[in-house]
Amino acid sequence: MEILGLDIGGSGIKGALVDTDTGNLLTERHRINTPEGAEPEDVAQTVNQICQFFEYIGPVGVGFPAIVQHGIVLSTANISKNWMGLNINALLSQRTGNPIFSVNDADAAGIAEMTFGVGQEYQKGVVILLTIGTGIGSAIFSDGVLVPNTEFGHLKIRGKDAEHRASDAMRQSEDLSWKKWGRRFDEFLLELEKLFSPDLFVLGGGISKKFEKFSKYFSVQTRTIPAYLLNQAGIVGAALFASNQTKN
């Protein structure tokens, strides 16, 4: 099935047509900068621009950087506070004319990785996927089943949210070396290891391309690997989520 997948991030909104049977992108990604402030109406207009760019009519999967429960936005850590309580599916459907199916962005990436990526080998046990960018998103799977909206990036490490110490945005804003940032992120992994005893950590987001530069500073014992789909996972997973919703 061919579905448009969108990944709404803190810096950019990216989309591509996805073959949901194979997980392959059928087009190049099209990216538009996230409107300053990420206000609902501005984001909705940008999403419509991407739909128009692909001349697409049909179901759209949207990965969104917040807790999304049955289409309702329930957190606003890295987006405008005006999203709180909004029905994102209804808003984006009205602006695009397409049926919209939204899901937490890290959960979308996790769905993609468990279906088409490294998770195929880990359908038993506990897998934690972490997306590293403006914040830190998380998805946890037990025996291949997603527990949605975990938001582990808000766990407290040294008195701060983990993402306020160890996101890629913090690495860049504080001009941290790979060694210093890698050790910060290792602290976060060690806390998750203590809490969940996972079988595997999967690291996604654009920084996963640099995995070899920082992973050598990890002391965590759990196997830790980069996401197979890298920063395409959010788009693929969003499209797959929409596909699954249309079948239900």
Side-chain angles (χ1 to χ4, degrees):
M1 192 172 184
E2 183 177 307
I3 287 184
L4 178 62
L6 298 178
D7 185 9
I8 297 177
S11 60
I13 299 176
K14 304 172 288 291
L17 294 179
V18 178
D19 183 337
T20 58
D21 293 321
T22 64
N24 294 328
L25 298 191
L26 300 174
T27 63
E28 293 292 323
R29 293 187 310 156
H30 181 61
R31 182 187 186 279
I32 300 176
N33 289 340
T34 302
E36 186 174 353
E39 294 292 341
E41 190 58 43
D42 294 337
V43 169
Q45 290 178 7
T46 304
V47 167
N48 188 45
Q49 288 176 35
I50 294 177
C51 290
Q52 291 179 342
F53 174 84
F54 288 106
E55 300 179 342
Y56 180 82
I57 298 174
V60 180
V62 174
F64 193 69
I67 294 172
V68 180
Q69 191 172 58
H70 311 300
I72 307 299
V73 178
L74 296 179
S75 68
T76 57
N78 295 307
I79 54 175
S80 166
K81 304 300 182 187
N82 293 324
W83 281 101
M84 181 63 76
L86 277 184
N87 187 322
I88 182 175
N89 291 346
L91 173 64
L92 299 185
S93 293
Q94 289 168 3
R95 295 297 177 270
T96 66
N98 292 317
I100 301 290
F101 301 93
S102 57
V103 61
N104 173 268
D105 57 349
D107 287 347
I111 290 168
E113 280 295 331
M114 293 300 289
T115 305
F116 299 116
V118 297
Q120 293 179 91
E121 302 174 21
Y122 284 86
Q123 293 300 308
K124 294 292 183 183
V126 175
V127 176
I128 295 177
L129 176 133
L130 300 166
T131 57
I132 310 161
T134 303
I136 298 175
S138 60
I140 184 169
F141 294 81
S142 178
D143 292 343
V145 177
L146 172 69
V147 179
N149 294 311
T150 47
E151 297 287 295
F152 293 151
H154 299 299
L155 283 175
K156 298 297 182 185
I157 307 291
R158 297 180 184 253
K160 290 185 177 180
D161 281 9
E163 66 178 26
H164 293 158
R165 298 191 73 252
S167 67
D168 191 36
M170 292 307 298
R171 178 188 69 83
Q172 295 181 53
S173 69
E174 296 186 21
D175 195 25
L176 298 175
S177 66
W178 288 114
K179 181 177 181 179
K180 189 164 186 177
W181 182 83
R183 288 182 171 173
R184 279 194 186 186
F185 202 85
D186 183 51
E187 281 190 291
F188 177 46
L189 294 178
L190 288 169
E191 187 68 16
L192 292 174
E193 184 177 61
K194 181 175 67 177
L195 291 171
F196 298 103
S197 301
D199 296 276
L200 179 70
F201 284 120
V202 182
L203 306 187
I207 202 171
S208 58
K209 297 177 183 178
K210 308 286 188 180
F211 184 77
E212 298 302 325
K213 291 184 179 293
F214 58 82
S215 60
K216 58 188 174 184
Y217 302 113
F218 290 171
S219 64
V220 67
Q221 296 302 299
T222 302
R223 186 186 181 203
T224 304
I225 59 177
Y228 176 76
L229 298 172
L230 300 174
N231 59 347
Q232 296 182 3
I235 291 173
V236 173
L240 187 59
F241 179 78
S243 175
N244 291 337
Q245 294 301 302
T246 59
K247 294 174 184 176
N248 293 335

